[in-house]
Amino acid sequence: MVIILLALLMIGLFIYLLAKNKLSILGALVLVPLLFGVIIVLITKANFADMFSWITDALFFEVNKKTGEISLGVISPGLLILFAVMYFDIMLNVGLFDPLCQFFIRKAKGDPLKVTMATVLTATVVTMNGDTTTTIIICTAAFLELYRSMKMKMIDLAILIVAPIGIFNQLPWGGPTISASAALGVPVNVLFKSLLPGMLAAEVFTIGLAYYFGLKERKRLCWCVEDSKNLDSQIIEKMLDSVRKKDPELKRPQYYWFNLILTLAILYLLIAGVAHGAILFMIGTAAALTVNYHKTSLITGRIEAIAGDALGPALASFGAAVFSGILTGSGMASGLASGITMLIPHSLGAHMAPLYALISAPAIVYLPQDAFYFGIAKVISKVMIGFGISPVQAAVASMIGQSFRLISPVIPALYMLTESTKLNFIEFQKNYVKYCWPIFFIYVIVYALVGLLPI
């Protein structure tokens, strides 16, 4: 009981300090769990060597003593983020994305609605590869400058990138679906077929949300349809100049095709899984700097200029190892799992599925994914089966909480997104919940209607 209380206090303090801007994201991720790790060491048989071992496992890798399976820590996505941010900063500087931004400006004709619709549809297509980090990298690089030049809200950009990821992470090759399938013994293809109606309904909502954001931005920026018809070519040129004339001394139009081919090659190799993303972007960064800037003094200057952009989200990613390492290694994660299991009384019987789905939402945000599926879902599914709920129905119920997974502080790529868009992490969380909470109920309603969630 003490461990559960400490886990809840740790999560609550983490949220409070970030919301009140009392600590930076790195400070909150490192210092808050460290404080509770020390408390656990003092009140249990664990020692400080154990505490640092928990953090080490979460940062680097952990070997399962029974199976010998290796679980990579946050250093893997953290290094990917570090070199990816550096690489795309260089590409933004040299002007690789200028034609894309100019294309959207011309097509949108200053219409925020067309931009928000393009954002959500692009994110939907890109996230089909099942990788959160890759989707955020590509979509941020493609749309960030456009949103800035049109003075559109960055929170809209962040939500419209993340919402489709939360939906399509449930594809058969996505991490949550694989974990749920393995933990509950439901074949991946069967689970995906069951999830598909809810995913499609949620995607329709997300497209509608993009439309709503576009209409809001039209109003805020005093834009109307007539403006598009009567738009002066000089206004479009002025908007285009905001892209063309940004840091002209850094642009390298003569190397445009080299930069494009290099970027496409890296993305292809990344999606194909030929090599780790950190290696690909490290090679790409070295090649891009060498070809575009030649002189050692210029290259050194560019590295120093972009280091700040890359270091912030990378450090936050590494800091997440302290949060997830202490939460898991100390037993707080398993304690929370047991506590959540006990919250569902057996007397509810066949009505356990929707209640379980409701409880799973916050659990899936703050617990490591495997801790949730193998610690909570596996236990509760056995109880549910005893009340006539099938393994597939139990698996579907366990996936409904995925509607909020993409605000989790243990997802490193989110720090890159919030740093790029200059958003406070808690501000992003609150706005995501504010606009995307209907996705949870869409899942509940759709799965109830098709008989996959007994009410």
Side-chain angles (χ1 to χ4, degrees):
M1 189 64 187
V2 175
I3 291 292
I4 297 173
L5 181 61
L6 287 173
L8 293 173
L9 284 173
M10 186 179 93
I11 293 169
L13 184 61
F14 172 82
I15 295 170
Y16 172 79
L17 292 173
L18 277 182
K20 297 294 182 180
N21 286 317
K22 301 290 185 182
L23 284 178
S24 66
I25 185 65
L26 178 62
L29 283 167
V30 174
L31 299 179
V32 172
L34 199 62
L35 169 64
F36 284 85
V38 170
I39 294 171
I40 285 172
V41 167
L42 294 176
I43 66 173
T44 67
K45 294 179 181 180
N47 55 48
F48 286 103
D50 292 329
M51 185 180 74
F52 289 119
S53 176
W54 303 334
I55 298 170
T56 300
D57 290 344
L59 179 61
F60 296 103
F61 63 88
E62 183 179 7
V63 180
N64 188 307
K65 293 177 182 178
K66 292 182 180 178
T67 65
E69 186 180 343
I70 295 175
S71 260
L72 291 176
V74 300
I75 198 165
S76 176
L79 287 173
L80 168 57
I81 287 167
L82 175 68
F83 287 109
V85 172
M86 290 186 71
Y87 181 82
F88 281 107
D89 262 14
I90 295 165
M91 290 298 117
L92 284 169
N93 291 155
V94 300
L96 176 65
F97 298 102
D98 286 4
L100 182 65
C101 286
Q102 291 174 38
F103 171 80
F104 280 126
I105 287 171
R106 287 194 179 97
K107 289 295 181 184
K109 294 184 178 179
D111 187 352
L113 176 59
K114 292 181 180 178
V115 174
T116 56
M117 295 301 288
T119 305
V120 76
L121 293 174
T122 302
T124 298
V125 172
V126 176
T127 200
M128 292 293 177
N129 77 325
D131 185 75
T132 298
T133 305
T134 302
T135 304
I136 289 176
I137 288 170
I138 293 172
C139 293
T140 304
F143 288 98
L144 190 61
E145 287 302 314
L146 180 62
Y147 274 68
R148 282 176 181 161
S149 65
M150 291 181 63
K151 296 181 173 58
M152 292 176 65
K153 287 184 178 179
M154 288 297 170
I155 189 63
D156 292 356
L157 172 62
I159 290 172
L160 293 178
I161 290 175
V162 165
I165 299 175
I167 297 167
F168 290 99
N169 262 357
Q170 299 173 87
L171 288 166
W173 48 88
T177 308
I178 293 171
S179 294
S181 170
L184 305 183
V186 177
V188 171
N189 62 321
V190 174
L191 179 55
F192 172 66
K193 184 179 178 182
S194 304
L195 295 172
L196 191 57
M199 291 169 61
L200 293 176
E203 175 64 9
V204 171
F205 168 80
T206 305
I207 292 171
L209 183 64
Y211 188 82
Y212 170 71
F213 281 166
L215 293 179
K216 275 184 66 181
E217 285 295 83
R218 273 182 174 181
K219 185 176 181 180
R220 186 179 69 85
L221 298 170
C222 301
W223 181 265
C224 65
V225 178
E226 289 303 315
D227 292 335
S228 178
K229 296 176 182 177
N230 304 320
L231 190 64
D232 194 306
S233 59
Q234 289 184 340
I235 296 176
I236 293 181
E237 287 302 312
K238 188 176 179 180
M239 293 175 68
L240 293 172
D241 282 343
S242 69
V243 176
R244 294 175 189 145
K245 295 180 180 180
K246 186 177 185 295
D247 300 322
E249 72 281 2
L250 300 177
K251 295 191 186 297
R252 295 294 187 269
Q254 66 271 34
Y255 298 119
Y256 178 80
W257 287 106
F258 167 80
N259 291 320
L260 178 62
I261 292 169
L262 177 64
T263 302
L264 292 175
I266 289 172
L267 293 177
Y268 171 77
L269 294 173
L270 178 68
I271 293 169
V274 174
H276 191 279
I279 296 172
L280 296 172
F281 282 114
M282 179 172 61
I283 294 170
T285 297
L289 285 169
T290 302
V291 171
N292 286 285
Y293 295 109
H294 306 303
K295 294 181 181 179
T296 306
S297 58
L298 286 176
I299 292 172
T300 303
R302 292 315 311 139
I303 292 174
E304 290 174 352
I306 63 180
D309 287 345
L311 201 55
L315 286 176
S317 302
F318 299 143
V322 183
F323 188 95
S324 61
I326 290 178
L327 185 70
T328 303
S330 66
M332 284 192 283
S334 57
L336 276 176
S338 301
I340 291 170
T341 303
M342 289 187 294
L343 281 175
I344 302 179
H346 285 224
S347 59
L348 287 174
H351 303 291
M352 284 178 65
L355 180 58
Y356 168 48
L358 184 64
I359 293 174
S360 75
I364 216 164
V365 170
Y366 288 101
L367 290 177
Q369 196 148 260
D370 286 346
F372 172 76
Y373 283 108
F374 290 93
I376 296 177
K378 193 165 188 174
V379 174
I380 293 184
S381 67
K382 292 177 182 177
V383 178
M384 294 170 75
I385 289 168
F387 287 101
I389 298 170
S390 73
V392 174
Q393 290 171 329
V396 168
S398 75
M399 293 292 286
I400 291 175
Q402 287 294 328
S403 49
F404 295 109
R405 175 63 180 173
L406 265 292
I407 58 170
S408 173
V410 298
I411 298 179
L414 293 179
Y415 301 120
M416 178 181 68
L417 178 63
T418 53
E419 285 278 344
S420 300
T421 51
K422 307 300 180 190
L423 295 170
N424 175 284
F425 188 79
I426 298 298
E427 177 191 358
F428 162 71
Q429 283 185 318
K430 288 195 296 187
N431 277 278
Y432 185 87
V433 173
K434 176 182 176 181
Y435 290 109
C436 295
W437 63 265
I439 293 176
F440 177 90
F441 292 99
I442 287 171
Y443 287 153
V444 170
I445 292 167
V446 170
Y447 296 140
L449 288 174
V450 297
L452 290 168
L453 190 74
I455 299 295

